[in-house]
Amino acid sequence: MKFKLILPVVLLAVAAMSLIMLESCSRGYDSATCASLTDKLSRGESLSQDEYAKMIEQYDLVLEYLVQRTDSVMLIEDDTQRVTTGRSLRDDDEFNERWQVMFDFGSALYQARAAGLLSDFNLNNYMELLPYTERISRNMASI
């Protein structure tokens, strides 16, 4: 009798974990998506609202990564060690790739906002990210 009750509970738990893993996988940083969007920008092509949404999602993930990395350096109390670690961070290929994406997407989104090209949904999502760009700027100025 207990086995008949346990099996559905286990299956439900496995299904829930699969959905959680699928959602987290779909929301990961994707350098290919970033490169594709950057290529469209460099060619001067217009972006759809779906493409702006993808850009904002990737921008969010890039900012999250950069905040985590720069915050960890800012936690170092010794000034010399903080500067040394900051220099190492600036030499990190992954950090530099995402740093460039931050600038490319940040500039494109700023211009799209100024031109009124973002839907209300995309504009709201973009505006929520602005404090993080300021935080990264403050951190990098101190590293």
Side-chain angles (χ1 to χ4, degrees), residues 65-66 68-73 82-96 140 143:
Y65 169 86
L66 294 173
Q68 288 174 353
R69 295 291 305 268
T70 59
D71 277 358
S72 69
V73 175
R82 185 174 59 249
V83 169
T84 301
T85 305
R87 284 190 188 126
S88 295
L89 184 63
R90 291 173 195 251
D91 291 336
D92 181 86
D93 290 337
E94 183 177 5
F95 182 86
N96 287 320
M140 288 304 288
I143 295 175

Side-chain angles (χ1 to χ4, degrees), residues 10-100:
V10 168
L11 290 176
L12 184 60
V14 168
M17 288 302 295
S18 296
L19 285 174
I20 290 169
M21 290 175 63
L22 179 62
E23 182 176 327
S24 67
C25 289
S26 67
R27 191 171 139 60
Y29 173 74
D30 185 350
S31 62
T33 297
C34 293
S36 173
L37 290 167
T38 300
D39 287 346
K40 280 191 97 167
L41 293 172
S42 66
R43 290 190 304 263
E45 295 180 25
S46 297
L47 299 179
S48 69
Q49 290 303 313
D50 285 341
E51 288 170 320
Y52 277 122
K54 286 179 188 173
M55 180 183 289
I56 292 166
E57 178 182 36
Q58 291 300 308
Y59 187 56
D60 180 19
L61 293 164
V62 164
L63 293 174
E64 182 180 315
Y65 169 86
L66 294 173
V67 164
Q68 288 174 353
R69 295 291 305 268
T70 59
D71 277 358
S72 69
V73 175
M74 292 303 296
L75 291 174
I76 300 171
E77 292 183 18
D78 179 79
D79 291 341
T80 304
Q81 183 62 35
R82 185 174 59 249
V83 169
T84 301
T85 305
R87 284 190 188 126
S88 295
L89 184 63
R90 291 173 195 251
D91 291 336
D92 181 86
D93 290 337
E94 183 177 5
F95 182 86
N96 287 320
E97 175 188 325
R98 294 190 194 199
W99 184 262
Q100 186 62 50

Side-chain angles (χ1 to χ4, degrees), residues 86-141:
R87 284 190 188 126
S88 295
L89 184 63
R90 291 173 195 251
D91 291 336
D92 181 86
D93 290 337
E94 183 177 5
F95 182 86
N96 287 320
E97 175 188 325
R98 294 190 194 199
W99 184 262
Q100 186 62 50
V101 169
M102 180 190 74
F103 276 104
D104 293 343
F105 286 7
S107 176
L109 290 165
Y110 176 84
Q111 291 173 17
R113 174 187 172 213
L117 298 176
L118 297 176
S119 68
D120 289 343
F121 177 79
N122 284 333
L123 178 61
N124 288 335
N125 287 339
Y126 167 65
M127 295 302 290
E128 288 179 5
L129 300 177
L130 294 181
Y132 300 106
T133 61
E134 295 167 6
R135 184 169 167 181
I136 293 165
S137 295
R138 279 193 310 272
N139 284 355
M140 288 304 288

